[in-house]
Amino acid sequence: MALTDIASSPINWQKNLFAAWRSCFLTGTAFSLVMSFLPLYVEQLGVTDPHSLNLWSGVVFSIPFLFSAIASPFCDGLADRKGRKIMLLRSAPGMAIVMVLMGLSTSIWQFLTLRALSGGFVPDANALTSVHFRLKKPRGLHDGKWFTN
């Protein structure tokens, strides 16, 4: 099969959309699974009062999602200007370094800061999923033709 055959082959957009959705879903699920272990780790960092433990666990869990929502438009704009592959080269080592440093943190403030930084790398990881999948919707799918009589 020549390169021109691959370029001219039709795109199975439904299969690609499902693969992109599945990978984003699994990424989000993996980030959410840490919730059950956060109170134990926060307690090891010195927060012992039950009320404070609940509060810190909630803040530490939610801060990456807040920073992800804030960083997402900037990361998308930067990816459009500089290219998505260079963003992947920035995001993957950045997440790895932040994850290692989270395991080495000695105070709750260090852990909170590193969790916030990890939220800044998540938009790149999710947006870069689309680099691997070519999605080309059939004409008329979302331009109102299917939703009118």
Side-chain angles (χ1 to χ4, degrees):
M1 181 178 265
L3 187 58
T4 56
D5 295 336
I6 294 171
S8 64
S9 65
I11 298 170
N12 187 350
W13 70 272
Q14 292 165 328
K15 183 178 175 183
N16 290 343
L17 179 64
F18 179 72
W21 174 85
R22 183 181 58 204
S23 61
C24 286
F25 177 79
L26 290 175
T27 302
T29 302
F31 278 108
S32 296
L33 287 176
V34 75
M35 181 60 182
S36 58
F37 301 104
L38 274 179
L40 299 173
Y41 193 63
V42 168
E43 189 175 22
Q44 285 186 347
L45 291 175
V47 180
T48 56
D49 177 49
H51 178 70
S52 296
L53 184 62
N54 288 338
L55 179 67
W56 275 107
S57 297
V59 170
V60 164
F61 176 72
S62 61
I63 197 79
F65 299 106
L66 174 67
F67 272 70
S68 177
I70 293 169
S72 187
F74 300 110
C75 291
D76 289 345
L78 190 59
D80 288 340
R81 286 192 308 275
K82 300 290 184 184
R84 284 173 167 60
K85 289 183 183 180
I86 194 73
M87 295 300 284
L88 178 61
L89 292 174
R90 181 191 71 84
S91 177
M95 278 295 281
I97 291 167
V98 168
M99 292 295 171
V100 168
L101 290 176
M102 272 196 270
L104 299 174
S105 61
T106 58
S107 74
I108 190 67
W109 289 104
Q110 288 176 353
F111 189 61
L112 181 69
T113 304
L114 290 167
R115 291 276 299 169
L117 279 175
S118 75
F121 291 113
V122 171
D124 292 340
N126 284 336
L128 288 168
T129 304
S130 65
V131 169
H132 303 291
F133 305 106
R134 297 188 320 178
L135 299 175
K136 186 173 181 181
K137 294 181 291 191
R139 187 163 179 84
L141 187 60
H142 292 292
D143 62 0
K145 291 181 182 175
W146 285 28
F147 302 108
T148 59
N149 290 336

